[in-house]
Amino acid sequence: MSDPRDPVPTPAELAAATDDATVRVLAQASLWRRLPWLVGGALALLLGVIGIFLPLLPTTPFVLLAAFCFARGSARCEAWLVGHPRFGPMIVQWRATRAVPLRAKQAAWIMMTISSVVSAWFMPVLPWLPAVCCLAVGLWLWRLPTAR
């Protein structure tokens, strides 16, 4: 039983205590909801950066995926990525037009063709697998609208 000398909380105090608890729970829940998006965005960006140096790994789709993930996980990370001098313009253009420049399509096809040939030459097992993957990505890329 409670002590009769304890003051009874007013409805406003109860509401404030409930709101504080709700805010704490939502803050924790939102962190857990945002964390997978942040991790996914970081991994996609890492793969995109690695793709700059490895010709078989495309950069642009991973950067776009990172922007998509950061938009759901962290406004600060998304703003940094969109404002990046190298990656930002491709994200802004993609969001504005949902189109890929013809030159980018051509460059992607050339790089994927070279990568597939080199991979087939050096891979002892399943030498055709990179070519099939690159063909699938290339066909998807080619069917996207072309930016003018």
Side-chain angles (χ1 to χ4, degrees):
M1 298 213 124
S2 66
D3 187 357
R5 291 175 287 175
D6 286 342
V8 176
T10 64
E13 291 172 335
L14 280 174
T18 304
D19 288 343
D20 290 344
T22 303
V23 167
R24 271 186 265 119
V25 168
L26 288 177
Q28 290 172 352
S30 67
L31 172 65
W32 288 109
R33 287 183 182 153
R34 291 182 307 133
L35 191 60
W37 292 111
L38 285 169
V39 171
L43 288 174
L45 185 59
L46 178 66
L47 288 172
V49 170
I50 291 171
I52 294 171
F53 305 103
L54 292 178
L56 193 60
L57 197 63
T59 299
T60 303
F62 285 115
V63 172
L64 294 176
L65 178 61
F68 176 82
C69 292
F70 285 152
R72 283 146 183 79
S74 170
R76 185 171 44 136
C77 291
E78 179 195 18
W80 172 81
L81 190 58
V82 170
H84 192 274
R86 189 79 167 159
F87 300 133
M90 75 173 79
I91 296 167
V92 170
Q93 181 182 10
W94 173 257
R95 288 180 176 176
T97 63
R98 292 280 195 249
V100 179
L102 179 61
R103 187 165 181 175
K105 288 182 179 185
Q106 292 169 340
W109 269 91
I110 290 169
M111 291 305 294
M112 287 189 291
T113 302
I114 292 169
S115 300
S116 296
V117 170
V118 170
S119 296
W121 183 263
F122 287 107
M123 285 183 67
V125 178
L126 301 175
W128 49 268
L129 187 61
V132 171
C133 293
C134 287
L135 180 64
V137 171
L139 291 174
W140 170 80
L141 180 66
W142 206 259
R143 65 173 268 289
L144 291 174
T146 302
R148 303 269 179 245

